[in-house]
């Protein structure tokens, strides 16, 4: 047993971090076509897909590490839906689609049933959905505990789908509501075939873990520099202790998300139950640390100039993807 | 990264499981400290005779010389089997022993370690004083060198099982003129030496298993000094790093079991949605604590075998302490009106009220939660003092 990244995994994560620091630092707009294809060229969109299927040939562990880095820079763009779509396409044996996704030529939005108990997620998909990162998407990845489906936007439109955009709370995550008459999915993967919702939970948790780490680092950097009463504010216990709590959350999030990912991948008996608990806990941690980060920055933290608000907004949006903490807690012992 | 279990680890777990199933004492834990000491030493002796003492301690001193991963497996099986958590034997097994392994000389290790493992002796701690709690380095109990002895005068406090222990890890000030961290010595004190008076103090949990200890011209041979004279602070930091780190590997497993027991008890009595959510969250948090422990083991495995845990251990310690209190509080809410009586009207098979009251020490002992946060802030994050 070893929860630490191997040297090769460490290399993958630091190479991704270096690329993102240069090309997509916090506050950047969603990647343009060129940058998107460039990241496709790095193998990021199909990281966990076998090479025989047209993927990059790593595993869910490496994909988790990449998503942690994406979380750290609050990267905008449909990374989550794209990665999930690559899993659906690969499980469905659609190598051509995997290759299209890999190259960055297909944009994918993420759709989840939205306050609609009659929604259908299966070989045919219908109902009302919340779509995140759907701007310019030609494909929708529909996910909920019943499985994951890929729906062509053109097919949805042909069937008479209605889409309405709303002003997003998080400037980096577009939001739409989609009302979908029954439409045939291009592919559907039930959980019994492959745990795509679990992959989704792992990757969302990784993004949230990255937020825990980045907010800790941003606060620590700031409170070492910012002086009041003639000394760095990080020397005051009230501030120092808040940073210590951020460090504990971060350590807990990294350790638990790594363990849960390995448990699911390894088919351990506690994996399936642990994953929703992990997602719920890390969601709460990310929101708490993002809030503390704003507090640590004082008045600056309340301005849109400081990037602290981006972490708070992203953490809040991601904590509602694939189940809110309250929903996940309630479901655990029901 | 992997959760792979080697064949030898799997076999070790099975053997541990089987042995514990046969050997865990059925009798309940005695309330009286002297009886508690005897009970624990007898159980320790049984573990030694069964070949299960000192899992990760060096072989030359009676240990098994196995890895921290195997130590963790033992603790997991130990908690699952409902074996008693060390109280009177805690200091010997979890910090004096590891400190001697890391910092003691050959004679000290050869004399003391086998006695601890064989269940012949119990240890207590002599660190805190009435005027030196969180500010431990301001301790004033004096140790004056006289020939080949150290003459000790002063007072220690919060010494658990001090009235029944055989040895003590004792911090004394040997140089009052040096800066406060530079004049302290860590010494092994035989509790039967004339001039020692240990008086039990009653706690909020009803027991009186911790003491104040008075020293009146207590003469300790200089050969009992661990490390160098005046270098005791660094030895004490190594002791505390064990107390904050590996000592809690076992406790977090026990806590995870408490949460499962509470879920079962709560289900039997009926849970509302609020309690259901709090219990689910506690379940997630004990899993996080376990994962943090595994991450610590992964880091420690990459270091030399006698390295001590780093300041990161304070993160596990802080999380453990606060979580233990939250779980204890949830337990009180699960049991509801039953908690007016210590014995929950005979309903519970474990005394939850006692657990709850005991949990208040979890954020005080081994450095208060405020001190842990200072350590995390200053030594892990590098924030200014």
């Amino acid at each position: 047993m070893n929860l630490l990244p191997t040297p090769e995994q460490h290399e993958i994560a630091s190479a991704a971090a270096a690329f993102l620091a240069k090309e997509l630092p916090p506050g950047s707009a969603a990647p343009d076509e060129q940058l998107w294809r460039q990241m496709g060229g790095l193998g990021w969109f199909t990281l966990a897909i076998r090479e025989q299927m047209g993927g990059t040939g790593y595993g869910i562990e490496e994909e988790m590490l990449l998503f942690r880095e994406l979380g750290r820079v609050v990267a905008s763009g449909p990374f989550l839906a794209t990665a999930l779509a690559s899993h659906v396409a690969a499980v469905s044996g659609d190598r051509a689609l995997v290759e299209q996704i890999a190259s960055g030529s297909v944009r994918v939005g993420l759709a989840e049933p939205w306050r609609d108990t009659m929604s259908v997620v299966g070989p045919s998909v219908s109902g009302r959905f919340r779509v995140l990162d759907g701007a310019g998407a030609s494909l929708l990845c529909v996910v909920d505990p019943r499985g994951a489906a890929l729906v062509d936007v053109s097919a949805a439109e042909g069937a008479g789908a209605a889409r309405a955009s709303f002003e997003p709370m998080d400037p980096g995550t577009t939001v739409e509501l989609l009302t979908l008459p029954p439409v045939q999915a291009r592919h559907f993967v039930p959980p019994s075939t492959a745990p795509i919702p679990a992959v989704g939970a792992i990757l969302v948790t990784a993004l949230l873990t990255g937020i825990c780490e980045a907010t800790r680092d941003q606060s620590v950097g700031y409170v070492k520099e910012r002086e009041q009463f003639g000394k760095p504010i990080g020397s005051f216990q009230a501030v120092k202790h808040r940073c210590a709590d951020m460090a504990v959350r971060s350590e807990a999030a990294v350790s638990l998300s790594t363990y849960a990912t390995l448990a699911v991948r390894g088919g351990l008996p506690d994996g399936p139950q642990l994953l929703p608990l992990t997602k719920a806990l890390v969601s709460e941690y990310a929101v708490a640390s993002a809030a503390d980060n704003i507090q640590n920055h004082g008045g600056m933290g309340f301005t849109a100039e400081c990037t602290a608000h981006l972490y708070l907004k992203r953490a809040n949006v991601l904590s509602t993807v694939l189940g809110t903490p309250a929903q996940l807690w309630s479901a655990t012992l029901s | 990264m992997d959760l792979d279990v080697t064949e030898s680890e799997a076999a070790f777990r099975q053997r541990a499981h089987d042995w514990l199933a046969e050997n865990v004492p059925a009798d309940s834990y005695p309330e009286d400290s002297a009886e508690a000491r005897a009970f624990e030493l007898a159980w320790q002796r049984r573990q030694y005779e069964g070949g299960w003492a000192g899992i990760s301690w060096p072989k030359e001193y009676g240990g098994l010389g196995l890895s921290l991963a195997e130590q963790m497996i033992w603790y997991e099986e130990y908690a699952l089997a409902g074996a008693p958590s060390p109280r009177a034997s805690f200091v010997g097994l979890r910090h004096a022993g590891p400190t001697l392994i890391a910092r003691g000389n050959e004679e000290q290790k050869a004399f003391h370690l086998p006695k601890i493992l064989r269940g012949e002796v119990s240890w207590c701690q002599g660190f805190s004083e009435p005027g030196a709690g969180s500010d431990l380095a301001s301790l004033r109990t004096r140790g004056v060198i006289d020939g080949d002895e150290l003459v000790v005068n002063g007072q220690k406090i919060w010494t658990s099982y001090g009235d029944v222990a055989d040895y003590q890890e004792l911090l004394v000030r040997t140089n009052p003129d040096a800066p406060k961290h530079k004049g302290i010595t860590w010494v092994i004190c035989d509790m039967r030496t004339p001039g020692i008076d240990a008086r039990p103090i009653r706690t909020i949990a009803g027991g009186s298993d911790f003491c104040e200890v008075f020293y009146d011209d207590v003469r300790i041979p200089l050969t009992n000094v661990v490390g160098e004279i005046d270098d005791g602070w660094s030895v004490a930091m190594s002791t505390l790093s064990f107390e904050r780190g590996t000592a809690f590997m076992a406790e977090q497993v026990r806590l995870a079991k408490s949460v499962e027991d509470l879920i079962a008890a709560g289900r039997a009595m009926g849970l509302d949605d609020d309690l259901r959510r709090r219990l689910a969250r506690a379940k997630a948090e004990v899993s996080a604590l376990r994962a943090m422990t595994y991450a610590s083991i992964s880091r420690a495995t990459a270091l030399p075998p006698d390295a001590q845990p780093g300041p990161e251990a304070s993160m596990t310690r802080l999380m453990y302490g606060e979580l233990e209190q939250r779980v204890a509080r949830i337990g009180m809410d699960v049991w509801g009106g039953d908690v007016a009586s210590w014995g929950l009207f005979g309903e519970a098979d474990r005394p939850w009220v006692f657990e709850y009251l005991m949990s208040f020490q979890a954020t005080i002992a081994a450095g208060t939660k405020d001190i842990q946060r200072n350590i995390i802030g200053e030594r892990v994050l590098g924030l200014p003092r």
Side-chain angles (χ1 to χ4, degrees):
Chain A
M1 180 209 69
N2 184 355
L3 257 51
L4 306 181
T6 62
E8 190 186 5
Q9 288 168 338
H10 188 74
E11 181 54 38
I12 291 169
S14 39
F19 181 89
L20 289 167
K22 188 164 167 280
E23 303 292 342
L24 207 60
S28 305
D32 60 18
E33 199 58 32
Q34 193 199 343
L35 181 56
W36 190 253
R37 283 173 186 269
Q38 204 181 340
M39 291 185 292
L42 295 170
W44 285 8
F45 303 149
T46 54
L47 207 59
I49 308 303
R50 288 178 297 134
E51 285 175 278
Q52 300 92 301
M53 273 311 299
T56 313
Y58 288 107
I60 187 73
E61 302 95 314
E62 288 79 12
E63 198 165 41
M64 170 187 74
L65 291 171
L66 170 67
F67 272 69
R68 214 179 268 170
E69 297 304 328
L70 291 168
R72 286 179 74 110
V73 297
V74 259
S76 300
F79 291 98
L80 180 62
T82 302
L84 289 181
S86 79
H87 283 265
V88 175
V91 171
S92 309
D94 189 344
R95 186 185 165 123
L97 181 57
V98 172
E99 286 172 349
Q100 282 180 313
I101 293 169
S103 70
S105 60
V106 180
R107 290 270 186 146
V108 192
L110 182 75
E112 294 179 271
W114 187 75
R115 292 192 184 166
D116 178 6
T117 51
M118 306 296 285
S119 70
V120 177
V121 178
S124 168
V125 178
S126 64
R128 192 160 50 169
F129 298 87
R130 183 185 74 169
V131 181
L132 300 180
D133 294 325
S138 56
L139 198 61
L140 292 176
C141 184
V142 184
V143 195
D144 94 339
R146 292 168 287 183
L150 294 181
V151 173
D152 283 308
V153 169
S154 56
E157 281 165 357
R163 284 169 83 168
S165 315
F166 294 85
E167 191 180 353
M169 183 259 277
D170 166 12
T173 309
T174 64
V175 189
E176 292 162 85
L177 281 185
L178 168 73
T179 308
L180 197 60
V183 56
Q184 199 63 27
R186 185 149 151 197
H187 297 296
F188 171 69
V189 177
S192 54
T193 303
I196 309 290
V199 172
I202 287 171
L203 299 182
V204 180
T205 302
L207 292 168
L208 290 158
T209 302
I211 292 175
C212 289
E213 293 184 298
T215 48
R216 171 201 61 195
D217 294 346
Q218 191 177 23
S219 274
V220 167
Y222 183 74
V223 306
K224 279 180 183 171
E225 297 296 322
R226 167 73 176 168
E227 294 195 1
Q228 286 291 276
F229 304 100
K231 47 184 172 178
I233 60 171
S235 65
F236 297 110
Q237 275 191 331
V239 177
K240 183 179 289 174
H241 287 188
R242 215 156 37 224
C243 292
D245 286 339
M246 298 171 86
V248 175
R249 283 185 211 118
S250 194
E251 175 74 9
V254 168
S255 305
L256 179 60
S257 61
T258 303
Y259 180 85
T261 300
L262 295 175
V264 168
R265 188 215 54 177
L268 263 58
D270 61 345
Q273 198 195 18
L274 192 53
L275 199 52
L277 290 174
T278 301
K279 199 267 161 180
L281 189 64
V282 178
S283 294
E284 292 190 357
Y285 283 165
V287 170
S289 285
D292 280 348
N293 190 37
I294 288 183
Q295 181 67 44
N296 288 334
H297 282 78
M300 274 307 297
F302 191 64
T303 69
E305 275 168 55
C306 176
T307 55
H309 73 111
L310 298 175
Y311 291 106
L312 181 80
K313 291 170 181 174
R314 182 65 53 85
N316 273 287
V317 172
L318 290 177
S319 75
T320 69
V321 173
L322 298 173
T324 65
Q327 288 165 340
L328 297 171
W329 297 140
S330 290
T332 304
L333 301 182
S334 60
Chain B
M1 42 179 75
D2 65 79
L3 298 179
D4 299 347
V5 176
T6 65
E7 264 181 50
S8 80
E9 285 168 354
F12 178 82
R13 184 183 291 279
Q14 189 59 48
R15 283 203 314 277
H17 176 89
D18 294 347
W19 188 85
L20 285 161
E22 292 284 313
N23 288 281
V24 167
D27 347 348
S28 61
Y29 193 92
E31 269 185 37
D32 174 78
S33 343
E35 285 172 28
R37 173 184 175 277
F39 172 86
E40 283 191 41
L41 292 184
W43 166 228
Q44 178 62 31
R45 205 147 42 237
R46 191 145 160 192
Q47 292 175 72
Y48 180 81
E49 283 159 4
W52 294 103
I55 308 287
S56 59
W57 289 24
K59 277 187 179 165
E60 56 264 48
Y61 308 116
L64 301 183
L66 297 174
S67 66
L68 273 180
E70 281 153 324
Q71 176 74 74
M72 187 67 204
I73 291 171
W74 169 255
Y75 286 151
E76 287 176 346
E77 292 301 324
Y78 189 95
L80 290 171
S85 310
R87 297 182 201 170
S89 55
F90 182 85
V91 171
L93 291 170
R94 304 284 170 79
H95 42 110
T99 304
L100 291 177
I101 291 169
R103 306 293 295 268
N105 62 32
E106 275 314 307
E107 292 73 28
Q108 291 162 346
K109 287 194 266 194
F111 182 80
H112 288 287
L113 297 177
K115 284 181 185 296
I116 296 171
L117 291 184
R118 289 197 295 254
E120 292 170 9
V121 295
S122 73
W123 281 62
C124 63
Q125 188 175 47
F127 279 21
S128 297
E129 296 178 6
S134 290
D135 183 12
L136 180 62
S138 70
L139 61 92
R140 290 193 310 195
T141 293
R142 278 286 275 142
V144 176
I145 297 172
D146 179 23
D148 53 5
E149 288 176 323
L150 204 52
V151 182
V152 175
N153 281 284
Q155 185 193 349
K156 294 289 172 180
I157 199 162
W158 320 140
T159 304
S160 298
Y161 299 97
D163 52 340
V164 296
D166 302 280
Y167 291 98
Q168 182 180 49
E169 41 179 36
L170 176 63
L171 291 182
V172 294
R173 178 150 314 276
T174 35
N175 185 350
D177 302 321
K180 66 179 183 178
H181 294 87
K182 307 266 186 205
I184 294 171
T185 298
W186 199 107
V187 65
I188 301 165
C189 172
D190 182 334
M191 291 299 281
R192 292 192 179 78
T193 317
I196 295 179
D197 181 16
R199 302 176 195 166
I201 302 170
R202 204 165 165 77
T203 76
I204 63 168
S208 46
D209 50 54
F210 75 165
C211 299
E212 50 187 343
V213 183
F214 298 88
Y215 306 80
D216 181 14
D217 284 335
V218 174
R219 305 187 76 89
I220 301 173
L222 282 177
T223 49
N224 281 13
V225 170
V226 174
E228 301 297 319
I229 293 276
D230 292 347
D231 189 32
W233 184 253
S234 80
V235 185
M237 287 305 99
S238 130
T239 309
L240 288 175
S241 73
F242 290 114
E243 185 170 11
R244 290 164 186 158
T246 43
F248 283 88
M249 282 167 63
E251 299 313 299
Q252 56 96 13
V253 183
R254 190 190 52 75
L255 187 59
K257 188 167 181 294
S258 284
V259 172
E260 292 305 322
D261 291 349
L262 211 44
I263 289 171
R267 280 197 159 133
M269 286 183 285
L271 288 171
D272 64 18
D273 202 45
D274 174 56
L275 276 173
R276 203 174 286 137
R277 285 182 187 177
R278 286 163 68 198
L279 279 166
R281 192 174 197 282
K283 200 173 155 75
E285 288 182 291
V286 291
S287 301
L289 195 60
R290 177 179 60 170
M292 286 165 80
T293 306
Y294 286 171
S296 306
I297 294 172
S298 304
R299 277 192 292 266
T301 305
L303 295 171
D306 55 350
Q308 64 188 64
E312 296 79 15
S314 281
M315 296 199 275
T316 318
R317 181 70 187 86
L318 176 61
M319 172 111 170
Y320 169 79
E322 296 197 327
L323 182 55
E324 177 171 311
Q325 285 177 355
R326 271 198 295 281
V327 170
R329 182 62 249 170
I330 296 171
M332 294 297 274
D333 291 339
V334 166
W335 287 103
D338 295 8
V339 304
S341 128
W342 283 87
L344 303 169
F345 301 119
E347 288 287 319
D349 56 1
R350 58 185 302 155
W352 198 266
V353 177
F354 179 73
E355 301 272 330
Y356 169 67
L357 292 170
M358 279 304 284
S359 77
F360 282 82
Q361 61 90 36
T363 53
I364 300 171
T368 65
K369 61 183 177 182
D370 308 304
I371 291 295
Q372 306 297 352
R373 287 190 167 91
N374 283 354
I375 293 169
I376 296 164
E378 289 158 19
R379 293 173 56 205
V380 178
L381 300 176
L383 296 177
R385 293 176 72 84

